[in-house]
Amino acid sequence: MKKYGFVASGGGYRSFYTEGALVWLRQNGVSISHIASTSSGNNIALDYLLWDPQKEELPPVLTRTIRLSVEDIFHVFKNFLGLRPSLVPNGSHLFTVDKDSCRKSLTLDQPARREVLGKNLVGTSWDIFTTNLTRREGRSFRINDILSTIDPGTLDRFMDVFLAGITTIPYFKAIEIDDDYYLEGGYLDNTPMRTMFEDPEVDEIIAVDFTDYDYHGALKKLYATQVFTLPLNSIDTYLLVSDIQLSLPNTKIFSEADRINRMLEAVGKTSLELDGKTYYRKPVHVLNPRNLESMTISLKDSTIQKRYFELGRKDMAKLSADILNAQPA
C-alpha cells in the first residue's frame, strides 16, 4: 500500500478545507506517514493528530467549530489563534499569547489527548516549518523528536515551536527560541514540501495550495471603497497584503518541485544526493480550491468553516479518484 505525505499550507480559516481533506483520507483508510505544516496548517495537523477515530466522528477542535455554540466560538478563537489583546498596546504588536491557556485550549493538558497524540506520532512523522528571522532562513522542527516523550518540559518546547509556526507580525510578537526570533514559515515557503522529498517512506505527496485567488478583483473592490470607510478598508487592505506575501510565492514552490521531478526523470534517476542529503522523485498531487477567504474570523457567516471543511472532503474524494484512475492497471 502506498504511503502518502501531506502538506498542510497556511491560510487562516481556509485551513478547515485542509482538515476536510485529511479527515476524508483517514476515514477512507489512506495512510498518511508524514505531515509537514506551517501557519494555520499547524492547527489542523495538531487537531488531526489528537483525533481518536475509534471513539470520535471528527477531530476535537473541528467538532466544536462545526457545532458553533457561543461557548464553542470562544474556544475556536483561542484554539485557532491563541489570541490575547494587549492591555496597553505599544504599537509593535496587536496580540500576545498566553502559552499555558493556549496549551489547555488545545486539549494538550488532558492525559487522554496526550496519549492519543503519542500513539499517532508513532505512525506519522510531523514537521513544523518556521522562519528563523534572526538568521534569515527556514527551519523545520521534527515534532516526533521534540515529543518523543510527552511531559511538561517537552510540551513547553513544543508550544514554542507551534506558536512560532503560526506567528505573523505585527499581529503577534515574534517567538524567541534559543535566542533567535521565529515567525511562521509562510514568509519563505507556505507549502513546505522539502522534508517530504527527503523521506524515503513517502511514495507520493498531497499538497494544498491556496494561491488561486482573485487578487485583481479584491484590489478593485478596495480601491472603489469610499474615503469614510478608511479604518475598515485599511484592515482589509492589510489582510490582503499579508495574504499576497504569504501565499503568492507558492507558485514558484510548486514550479520548482515539478522541475526537480522532471529533471530526475530526464536523467533516469529516482533519487539524488546533494549536500549530504538524498532527495527522491515523488509525484505531487495538488488540491487547489479557488477564491477561499483567508481570514474568516467572522460571526456574519458562522457556517463558512463547515462549508470549507465539506469542500475539502469533496475535493479530496475527487482527487483520490483521479489518482487511482491514473495508476497503471
Side-chain angles (χ1 to χ4, degrees):
M1 181 179 293
K2 285 189 175 181
K3 293 184 178 180
Y4 289 90
F6 191 96
V7 187
S9 303
Y13 264 36
R14 292 182 298 200
S15 286
F16 283 105
Y17 173 96
T18 303
E19 191 153 24
L22 275 171
V23 166
W24 188 93
L25 289 167
R26 174 168 278 185
Q27 289 178 336
N28 285 272
V30 179
S31 174
I32 299 297
S33 63
H34 193 151
I35 297 174
S37 64
T38 193
S39 193
S40 58
N42 298 338
N43 300 73
I44 299 308
L46 177 61
D47 199 26
Y48 173 81
L49 291 167
L50 288 169
W51 178 28
D52 184 354
Q54 302 300 319
K55 299 178 180 178
E56 302 169 297
E57 181 182 358
L58 296 172
V61 175
L62 178 67
T63 298
R64 287 204 299 262
T65 304
I66 289 178
R67 189 172 59 208
L68 277 181
S69 67
V70 173
E71 181 182 358
D72 293 325
I73 291 171
F74 173 74
H75 281 291
V76 167
F77 272 88
K78 290 174 65 179
N79 283 327
F80 205 78
L81 294 175
L83 296 180
R84 188 175 185 181
S86 301
L87 295 176
V88 183
N90 64 9
S92 66
H93 59 280
L94 299 176
F95 301 100
T96 57
V97 175
D98 185 306
K99 187 163 62 173
D100 291 337
S101 64
C102 184
R103 184 187 65 245
K104 183 178 180 180
S105 69
L106 290 166
T107 72
L108 288 171
D109 282 355
Q110 299 177 18
R113 287 294 177 198
R114 294 201 298 267
E115 184 178 351
V116 171
L117 177 61
K119 288 180 178 178
N120 284 332
L121 286 174
V122 171
T124 306
S125 299
W126 181 22
D127 303 319
I128 288 181
F129 184 69
T130 65
T131 298
N132 184 319
L133 189 62
T134 303
R135 301 176 186 272
R136 300 176 300 282
E137 62 186 20
R139 178 177 177 183
S140 285
F141 288 88
R142 182 175 164 81
I143 303 305
N144 304 68
D145 292 340
I146 295 173
L147 294 179
S148 57
T149 58
I150 301 179
D151 56 46
T154 59
L155 280 174
D156 189 68
R157 174 72 172 184
F158 166 76
M159 287 302 301
D160 284 338
V161 172
F162 178 84
L163 293 172
I166 65 172
T167 293
T168 55
I169 54 176
Y171 302 112
F172 304 98
K173 292 177 67 175
I175 302 296
E176 282 192 80
I177 300 177
D178 302 330
D179 297 323
D180 286 349
Y181 276 125
Y182 282 84
L183 304 173
E184 70 152 87
Y187 287 99
L188 292 176
D189 183 353
N190 200 46
T191 309
M193 291 184 281
R194 182 181 60 80
T195 55
M196 300 288 182
F197 282 100
E198 297 173 12
D199 186 351
E201 296 299 314
V202 171
D203 297 311
E204 300 186 8
I205 300 170
I206 299 171
V208 180
D209 179 21
F210 293 122
T211 55
D212 195 351
Y213 188 78
D214 184 9
Y215 294 109
H216 176 91
L219 282 173
K220 192 171 183 179
K221 181 180 178 181
L222 286 167
Y223 292 157
T225 305
Q226 299 300 314
V227 175
F228 61 80
T229 61
L230 176 62
L232 292 178
N233 200 36
S234 295
I235 293 172
D236 287 343
T237 302
Y238 191 87
L239 290 173
L240 180 62
V241 169
S242 295
D243 195 35
I244 292 171
Q245 289 175 324
L246 299 176
S247 297
L248 206 56
N250 271 17
T251 303
K252 183 177 180 181
I253 297 297
F254 282 103
S255 176
E256 289 300 311
D258 179 65
R259 182 176 291 109
I260 291 171
N261 272 335
R262 288 190 290 112
M263 286 174 62
L264 285 170
E265 185 177 9
V267 297
K269 291 181 175 289
T270 58
S271 65
L272 179 68
E273 186 174 334
L274 183 65
D275 296 331
K277 293 184 178 181
T278 302
Y279 299 88
Y280 299 86
R281 176 161 58 90
K282 303 174 189 289
V284 180
H285 310 288
V286 183
L287 288 162
N288 190 26
R290 179 174 174 77
N291 282 335
L292 299 190
E293 296 289 339
S294 63
M295 300 301 288
T296 52
I297 312 167
S298 172
L299 302 184
K300 67 183 180 182
D301 186 356
S302 61
T303 67
I304 199 164
Q305 298 90 353
K306 184 175 182 179
R307 287 193 282 112
Y308 285 1
F309 169 74
E310 294 296 346
L311 179 62
R313 283 214 287 200
K314 178 182 176 182
D315 286 357
M316 189 64 249
K318 183 178 184 305
L319 178 63
S320 181
D322 291 343
I323 292 172
L324 292 175
N325 289 335
Q327 302 292 340

